[in-house]
Amino acid sequence: TPRLSSAASDVYKRQLDSRPQGRQHEPLEGQLFEVAYETTFCATHVLHDGGKPIEPQHGHDWRVEVVAAGVTLDTLGGVVDFVHLKKAVGEICQRFHYGDITTHPDFAGRSPSAEAVARYFFDEVRKTMGSEGRHLRRVRVWEAPGCSATWSE
């Protein structure tokens, strides 16, 4: 098993010792909780350069993973409410399910690459979740197994 160097061990001990007594459950600096929700939707798209298609229209079974994170937990012991996270992601997936991402008004003038779809989901989930959206950390989308793109903030 890996061991901490002497210097790293000293830093860790100082962090432990500096925490207020009776609050040992709080994470150390740099540590946080992450929660994720994952789902799929089916949609087609066409990558284009300046409005000119560079490939034929084709479809994917897109997979989306949305991750929220926080240092502290709410009164129920969670980072965000999974019901809210699932609802927000589901609403956005529904915009594209069995449709063509390329023709969706939100992608007008933009090539709907996996990277663009990941950023779109991030922005829309954050907005849809209201105040809980501040906990959003990253969105990863897969066009196919082994082919993914991530947007994080």
PDB file of all heavy atoms in Angstrom, residues 14-15 17 19 21 28 38 41 45 47 52 57-58 66 69 76 83 91 98 104 110-111 117 127 146:
ATOM      1  N   ARG A  14      -1.843  18.129  10.571  1.00  0.00           N
ATOM      2  CA  ARG A  14      -2.188  19.508  10.931  1.00  0.00           C
ATOM      3  C   ARG A  14      -3.636  19.819  10.554  1.00  0.00           C
ATOM      4  O   ARG A  14      -4.346  20.475  11.307  1.00  0.00           O
ATOM      5  CB  ARG A  14      -1.243  20.501  10.252  1.00  0.00           C
ATOM      6  CG  ARG A  14       0.082  20.679  10.979  1.00  0.00           C
ATOM      7  CD  ARG A  14       0.841  21.904  10.514  1.00  0.00           C
ATOM      8  NE  ARG A  14       1.072  21.967   9.082  1.00  0.00           N
ATOM      9  CZ  ARG A  14       2.071  21.365   8.444  1.00  0.00           C
ATOM     10  NH1 ARG A  14       2.954  20.644   9.112  1.00  0.00           N
ATOM     11  NH2 ARG A  14       2.205  21.489   7.143  1.00  0.00           N
ATOM     12  N   GLN A  15      -4.090  19.330   9.396  1.00  0.00           N
ATOM     13  CA  GLN A  15      -5.481  19.542   8.998  1.00  0.00           C
ATOM     14  C   GLN A  15      -6.421  18.861   9.978  1.00  0.00           C
ATOM     15  O   GLN A  15      -7.430  19.436  10.387  1.00  0.00           O
ATOM     16  CB  GLN A  15      -5.735  19.012   7.580  1.00  0.00           C
ATOM     17  CG  GLN A  15      -5.158  19.888   6.500  1.00  0.00           C
ATOM     18  CD  GLN A  15      -5.395  19.315   5.118  1.00  0.00           C
ATOM     19  OE1 GLN A  15      -5.515  18.100   4.951  1.00  0.00           O
ATOM     20  NE2 GLN A  15      -5.471  20.188   4.136  1.00  0.00           N
ATOM     21  N   ASP A  17      -5.810  18.102  13.139  1.00  0.00           N
ATOM     22  CA  ASP A  17      -5.719  18.774  14.426  1.00  0.00           C
ATOM     23  C   ASP A  17      -6.399  20.134  14.426  1.00  0.00           C
ATOM     24  O   ASP A  17      -6.839  20.613  15.472  1.00  0.00           O
ATOM     25  CB  ASP A  17      -4.259  18.946  14.852  1.00  0.00           C
ATOM     26  CG  ASP A  17      -3.588  17.612  15.162  1.00  0.00           C
ATOM     27  OD1 ASP A  17      -4.318  16.613  15.386  1.00  0.00           O
ATOM     28  OD2 ASP A  17      -2.352  17.565  15.148  1.00  0.00           O
ATOM     29  N   ARG A  19      -9.186  20.990  12.900  1.00  0.00           N
ATOM     30  CA  ARG A  19     -10.646  20.945  12.821  1.00  0.00           C
ATOM     31  C   ARG A  19     -11.240  21.136  14.201  1.00  0.00           C
ATOM     32  O   ARG A  19     -10.722  20.625  15.192  1.00  0.00           O
ATOM     33  CB  ARG A  19     -11.122  19.600  12.245  1.00  0.00           C
ATOM     34  CG  ARG A  19     -10.741  19.444  10.793  1.00  0.00           C
ATOM     35  CD  ARG A  19     -11.395  18.261  10.170  1.00  0.00           C
ATOM     36  NE  ARG A  19     -11.038  17.031  10.860  1.00  0.00           N
ATOM     37  CZ  ARG A  19     -11.508  15.836  10.539  1.00  0.00           C
ATOM     38  NH1 ARG A  19     -12.346  15.707   9.559  1.00  0.00           N
ATOM     39  NH2 ARG A  19     -11.131  14.771  11.201  1.00  0.00           N
ATOM     40  N   GLN A  21     -13.272  20.615  17.470  1.00  0.00           N
ATOM     41  CA  GLN A  21     -13.715  19.400  18.144  1.00  0.00           C
ATOM     42  C   GLN A  21     -15.228  19.272  18.033  1.00  0.00           C
ATOM     43  O   GLN A  21     -15.930  20.266  18.015  1.00  0.00           O
ATOM     44  CB  GLN A  21     -13.282  19.428  19.612  1.00  0.00           C
ATOM     45  CG  GLN A  21     -11.774  19.384  19.789  1.00  0.00           C
ATOM     46  CD  GLN A  21     -11.157  18.159  19.136  1.00  0.00           C
ATOM     47  OE1 GLN A  21     -11.615  17.035  19.344  1.00  0.00           O
ATOM     48  NE2 GLN A  21     -10.119  18.361  18.340  1.00  0.00           N
ATOM     49  N   LEU A  28     -11.859  17.126   5.062  1.00  0.00           N
ATOM     50  CA  LEU A  28     -10.671  17.967   5.072  1.00  0.00           C
ATOM     51  C   LEU A  28     -10.666  18.846   3.831  1.00  0.00           C
ATOM     52  O   LEU A  28     -11.375  18.579   2.855  1.00  0.00           O
ATOM     53  CB  LEU A  28      -9.412  17.102   5.088  1.00  0.00           C
ATOM     54  CG  LEU A  28      -9.225  16.221   6.318  1.00  0.00           C
ATOM     55  CD1 LEU A  28      -8.042  15.302   6.128  1.00  0.00           C
ATOM     56  CD2 LEU A  28      -9.050  17.080   7.558  1.00  0.00           C
ATOM     57  N   GLU A  38     -27.132   9.153 -14.250  1.00  0.00           N
ATOM     58  CA  GLU A  38     -26.817   8.756 -15.614  1.00  0.00           C
ATOM     59  C   GLU A  38     -28.072   8.248 -16.303  1.00  0.00           C
ATOM     60  O   GLU A  38     -28.878   7.543 -15.697  1.00  0.00           O
ATOM     61  CB  GLU A  38     -25.761   7.643 -15.566  1.00  0.00           C
ATOM     62  CG  GLU A  38     -25.224   7.224 -16.889  1.00  0.00           C
ATOM     63  CD  GLU A  38     -24.146   6.161 -16.743  1.00  0.00           C
ATOM     64  OE1 GLU A  38     -23.221   6.360 -15.939  1.00  0.00           O
ATOM     65  OE2 GLU A  38     -24.265   5.136 -17.427  1.00  0.00           O
ATOM     66  N   PHE A  41     -30.484   8.666 -24.131  1.00  0.00           N
ATOM     67  CA  PHE A  41     -31.499   9.098 -25.085  1.00  0.00           C
ATOM     68  C   PHE A  41     -30.995   8.766 -26.482  1.00  0.00           C
ATOM     69  O   PHE A  41     -29.790   8.616 -26.699  1.00  0.00           O
ATOM     70  CB  PHE A  41     -31.835  10.593 -24.942  1.00  0.00           C
ATOM     71  CG  PHE A  41     -30.723  11.534 -25.328  1.00  0.00           C
ATOM     72  CD1 PHE A  41     -30.687  12.121 -26.595  1.00  0.00           C
ATOM     73  CD2 PHE A  41     -29.727  11.860 -24.428  1.00  0.00           C
ATOM     74  CE1 PHE A  41     -29.673  13.001 -26.945  1.00  0.00           C
ATOM     75  CE2 PHE A  41     -28.709  12.734 -24.770  1.00  0.00           C
ATOM     76  CZ  PHE A  41     -28.685  13.309 -26.029  1.00  0.00           C
ATOM     77  N   HIS A  45     -27.562  13.318 -35.390  1.00  0.00           N
ATOM     78  CA  HIS A  45     -26.919  14.621 -35.575  1.00  0.00           C
ATOM     79  C   HIS A  45     -26.059  14.582 -36.822  1.00  0.00           C
ATOM     80  O   HIS A  45     -25.782  13.522 -37.379  1.00  0.00           O
ATOM     81  CB  HIS A  45     -26.119  15.051 -34.339  1.00  0.00           C
ATOM     82  CG  HIS A  45     -24.847  14.303 -34.100  1.00  0.00           C
ATOM     83  ND1 HIS A  45     -23.763  14.863 -33.475  1.00  0.00           N
ATOM     84  CD2 HIS A  45     -24.478  13.040 -34.394  1.00  0.00           C
ATOM     85  CE1 HIS A  45     -22.784  13.973 -33.377  1.00  0.00           C
ATOM     86  NE2 HIS A  45     -23.194  12.854 -33.920  1.00  0.00           N
ATOM     87  N   LEU A  47     -22.483  16.646 -37.990  1.00  0.00           N
ATOM     88  CA  LEU A  47     -21.456  17.657 -37.742  1.00  0.00           C
ATOM     89  C   LEU A  47     -21.319  18.515 -38.995  1.00  0.00           C
ATOM     90  O   LEU A  47     -21.411  18.006 -40.123  1.00  0.00           O
ATOM     91  CB  LEU A  47     -20.130  17.004 -37.392  1.00  0.00           C
ATOM     92  CG  LEU A  47     -20.103  16.193 -36.100  1.00  0.00           C
ATOM     93  CD1 LEU A  47     -18.716  15.603 -35.869  1.00  0.00           C
ATOM     94  CD2 LEU A  47     -20.522  17.032 -34.909  1.00  0.00           C
ATOM     95  N   LYS A  52     -21.953  23.729 -43.500  1.00  0.00           N
ATOM     96  CA  LYS A  52     -21.785  22.700 -44.540  1.00  0.00           C
ATOM     97  C   LYS A  52     -21.531  21.346 -43.873  1.00  0.00           C
ATOM     98  O   LYS A  52     -20.545  21.198 -43.124  1.00  0.00           O
ATOM     99  CB  LYS A  52     -20.617  23.079 -45.449  1.00  0.00           C
ATOM    100  CG  LYS A  52     -20.420  22.152 -46.608  1.00  0.00           C
ATOM    101  CD  LYS A  52     -19.311  22.654 -47.508  1.00  0.00           C
ATOM    102  CE  LYS A  52     -19.148  21.701 -48.671  1.00  0.00           C
ATOM    103  NZ  LYS A  52     -18.080  22.167 -49.572  1.00  0.00           N
ATOM    104  N   GLN A  57     -25.994  12.314 -41.910  1.00  0.00           N
ATOM    105  CA  GLN A  57     -26.768  12.233 -40.678  1.00  0.00           C
ATOM    106  C   GLN A  57     -26.643  10.810 -40.133  1.00  0.00           C
ATOM    107  O   GLN A  57     -26.725   9.836 -40.892  1.00  0.00           O
ATOM    108  CB  GLN A  57     -28.230  12.552 -40.943  1.00  0.00           C
ATOM    109  CG  GLN A  57     -29.071  12.513 -39.684  1.00  0.00           C
ATOM    110  CD  GLN A  57     -30.534  12.774 -39.967  1.00  0.00           C
ATOM    111  OE1 GLN A  57     -31.054  12.366 -41.000  1.00  0.00           O
ATOM    112  NE2 GLN A  57     -31.190  13.466 -39.059  1.00  0.00           N
ATOM    113  N   HIS A  58     -26.440  10.703 -38.838  1.00  0.00           N
ATOM    114  CA  HIS A  58     -26.315   9.392 -38.201  1.00  0.00           C
ATOM    115  C   HIS A  58     -26.812   9.487 -36.764  1.00  0.00           C
ATOM    116  O   HIS A  58     -26.904  10.573 -36.207  1.00  0.00           O
ATOM    117  CB  HIS A  58     -24.858   8.894 -38.242  1.00  0.00           C
ATOM    118  CG  HIS A  58     -23.903   9.806 -37.534  1.00  0.00           C
ATOM    119  ND1 HIS A  58     -23.439  10.991 -38.071  1.00  0.00           N
ATOM    120  CD2 HIS A  58     -23.349   9.720 -36.305  1.00  0.00           C
ATOM    121  CE1 HIS A  58     -22.625  11.585 -37.214  1.00  0.00           C
ATOM    122  NE2 HIS A  58     -22.551  10.832 -36.124  1.00  0.00           N
ATOM    123  N   VAL A  66     -24.328  13.229 -15.248  1.00  0.00           N
ATOM    124  CA  VAL A  66     -24.287  14.560 -14.645  1.00  0.00           C
ATOM    125  C   VAL A  66     -23.803  14.390 -13.206  1.00  0.00           C
ATOM    126  O   VAL A  66     -24.353  13.578 -12.461  1.00  0.00           O
ATOM    127  CB  VAL A  66     -25.679  15.218 -14.689  1.00  0.00           C
ATOM    128  CG1 VAL A  66     -25.646  16.575 -14.027  1.00  0.00           C
ATOM    129  CG2 VAL A  66     -26.164  15.330 -16.129  1.00  0.00           C
ATOM    130  N   ALA A  69     -21.430  18.138  -6.823  1.00  0.00           N
ATOM    131  CA  ALA A  69     -20.478  17.943  -5.730  1.00  0.00           C
ATOM    132  C   ALA A  69     -20.648  19.020  -4.679  1.00  0.00           C
ATOM    133  O   ALA A  69     -21.128  20.115  -4.960  1.00  0.00           O
ATOM    134  CB  ALA A  69     -19.048  17.968  -6.275  1.00  0.00           C
ATOM    135  N   LEU A  76     -30.855  16.675   4.911  1.00  0.00           N
ATOM    136  CA  LEU A  76     -31.232  15.279   4.657  1.00  0.00           C
ATOM    137  C   LEU A  76     -30.012  14.388   4.431  1.00  0.00           C
ATOM    138  O   LEU A  76     -30.152  13.188   4.221  1.00  0.00           O
ATOM    139  CB  LEU A  76     -32.165  15.197   3.444  1.00  0.00           C
ATOM    140  CG  LEU A  76     -33.488  15.949   3.571  1.00  0.00           C
ATOM    141  CD1 LEU A  76     -34.265  15.860   2.263  1.00  0.00           C
ATOM    142  CD2 LEU A  76     -34.300  15.397   4.726  1.00  0.00           C
ATOM    143  N   VAL A  83     -34.125  13.437  -6.955  1.00  0.00           N
ATOM    144  CA  VAL A  83     -35.363  13.626  -7.713  1.00  0.00           C
ATOM    145  C   VAL A  83     -35.246  14.862  -8.594  1.00  0.00           C
ATOM    146  O   VAL A  83     -35.612  14.835  -9.778  1.00  0.00           O
ATOM    147  CB  VAL A  83     -36.586  13.724  -6.769  1.00  0.00           C
ATOM    148  CG1 VAL A  83     -37.839  14.114  -7.527  1.00  0.00           C
ATOM    149  CG2 VAL A  83     -36.788  12.414  -6.028  1.00  0.00           C
ATOM    150  N   GLU A  91     -35.744  16.196 -18.479  1.00  0.00           N
ATOM    151  CA  GLU A  91     -36.375  17.238 -19.289  1.00  0.00           C
ATOM    152  C   GLU A  91     -35.497  17.620 -20.474  1.00  0.00           C
ATOM    153  O   GLU A  91     -35.987  17.840 -21.582  1.00  0.00           O
ATOM    154  CB  GLU A  91     -36.662  18.479 -18.446  1.00  0.00           C
ATOM    155  CG  GLU A  91     -37.813  18.323 -17.476  1.00  0.00           C
ATOM    156  CD  GLU A  91     -37.989  19.531 -16.548  1.00  0.00           C
ATOM    157  OE1 GLU A  91     -37.264  20.550 -16.726  1.00  0.00           O
ATOM    158  OE2 GLU A  91     -38.839  19.440 -15.650  1.00  0.00           O
ATOM    159  N   TYR A  98     -35.329  10.749 -29.828  1.00  0.00           N
ATOM    160  CA  TYR A  98     -35.887  10.355 -31.126  1.00  0.00           C
ATOM    161  C   TYR A  98     -35.981  11.516 -32.100  1.00  0.00           C
ATOM    162  O   TYR A  98     -36.819  11.521 -33.002  1.00  0.00           O
ATOM    163  CB  TYR A  98     -37.250   9.663 -30.974  1.00  0.00           C
ATOM    164  CG  TYR A  98     -37.169   8.335 -30.270  1.00  0.00           C
ATOM    165  CD1 TYR A  98     -38.003   8.050 -29.202  1.00  0.00           C
ATOM    166  CD2 TYR A  98     -36.243   7.372 -30.655  1.00  0.00           C
ATOM    167  CE1 TYR A  98     -37.932   6.829 -28.542  1.00  0.00           C
ATOM    168  CE2 TYR A  98     -36.150   6.159 -30.004  1.00  0.00           C
ATOM    169  CZ  TYR A  98     -37.006   5.889 -28.954  1.00  0.00           C
ATOM    170  OH  TYR A  98     -36.925   4.692 -28.295  1.00  0.00           O
ATOM    171  N   HIS A 104     -32.471  21.190 -33.770  1.00  0.00           N
ATOM    172  CA  HIS A 104     -33.056  21.799 -32.574  1.00  0.00           C
ATOM    173  C   HIS A 104     -32.676  23.284 -32.540  1.00  0.00           C
ATOM    174  O   HIS A 104     -31.513  23.631 -32.797  1.00  0.00           O
ATOM    175  CB  HIS A 104     -32.559  21.091 -31.309  1.00  0.00           C
ATOM    176  CG  HIS A 104     -33.313  21.469 -30.086  1.00  0.00           C
ATOM    177  ND1 HIS A 104     -33.038  22.614 -29.384  1.00  0.00           N
ATOM    178  CD2 HIS A 104     -34.358  20.875 -29.460  1.00  0.00           C
ATOM    179  CE1 HIS A 104     -33.869  22.708 -28.367  1.00  0.00           C
ATOM    180  NE2 HIS A 104     -34.684  21.661 -28.385  1.00  0.00           N
ATOM    181  N   ARG A 110     -24.681  26.034 -34.738  1.00  0.00           N
ATOM    182  CA  ARG A 110     -23.603  25.338 -34.019  1.00  0.00           C
ATOM    183  C   ARG A 110     -23.529  23.896 -34.484  1.00  0.00           C
ATOM    184  O   ARG A 110     -24.553  23.239 -34.660  1.00  0.00           O
ATOM    185  CB  ARG A 110     -23.848  25.325 -32.507  1.00  0.00           C
ATOM    186  CG  ARG A 110     -23.750  26.677 -31.866  1.00  0.00           C
ATOM    187  CD  ARG A 110     -23.635  26.577 -30.355  1.00  0.00           C
ATOM    188  NE  ARG A 110     -24.838  26.001 -29.750  1.00  0.00           N
ATOM    189  CZ  ARG A 110     -24.892  25.580 -28.497  1.00  0.00           C
ATOM    190  NH1 ARG A 110     -23.836  25.619 -27.729  1.00  0.00           N
ATOM    191  NH2 ARG A 110     -26.021  25.096 -28.001  1.00  0.00           N
ATOM    192  N   SER A 111     -22.348  23.386 -34.625  1.00  0.00           N
ATOM    193  CA  SER A 111     -22.162  21.973 -34.938  1.00  0.00           C
ATOM    194  C   SER A 111     -22.386  21.175 -33.655  1.00  0.00           C
ATOM    195  O   SER A 111     -21.748  21.450 -32.633  1.00  0.00           O
ATOM    196  CB  SER A 111     -20.749  21.736 -35.471  1.00  0.00           C
ATOM    197  OG  SER A 111     -20.597  20.400 -35.901  1.00  0.00           O
ATOM    198  N   VAL A 117     -22.647  19.168 -27.050  1.00  0.00           N
ATOM    199  CA  VAL A 117     -23.785  18.573 -26.340  1.00  0.00           C
ATOM    200  C   VAL A 117     -23.496  18.522 -24.835  1.00  0.00           C
ATOM    201  O   VAL A 117     -24.372  18.825 -24.021  1.00  0.00           O
ATOM    202  CB  VAL A 117     -24.122  17.176 -26.912  1.00  0.00           C
ATOM    203  CG1 VAL A 117     -25.163  16.465 -26.055  1.00  0.00           C
ATOM    204  CG2 VAL A 117     -24.606  17.303 -28.361  1.00  0.00           C
ATOM    205  N   LYS A 127     -29.204  25.588 -14.977  1.00  0.00           N
ATOM    206  CA  LYS A 127     -30.306  26.555 -14.992  1.00  0.00           C
ATOM    207  C   LYS A 127     -31.598  25.912 -14.473  1.00  0.00           C
ATOM    208  O   LYS A 127     -32.308  26.499 -13.659  1.00  0.00           O
ATOM    209  CB  LYS A 127     -30.504  27.047 -16.434  1.00  0.00           C
ATOM    210  CG  LYS A 127     -31.471  28.170 -16.573  1.00  0.00           C
ATOM    211  CD  LYS A 127     -31.573  28.768 -17.987  1.00  0.00           C
ATOM    212  CE  LYS A 127     -30.956  27.996 -19.082  1.00  0.00           C
ATOM    213  NZ  LYS A 127     -31.191  28.531 -20.412  1.00  0.00           N
ATOM    214  N   GLY A 146     -16.766   4.108 -25.349  1.00  0.00           N
ATOM    215  CA  GLY A 146     -15.383   4.516 -25.568  1.00  0.00           C
ATOM    216  C   GLY A 146     -15.208   5.891 -26.189  1.00  0.00           C
ATOM    217  O   GLY A 146     -14.086   6.350 -26.342  1.00  0.00           O
TER     218      GLY A 146
END
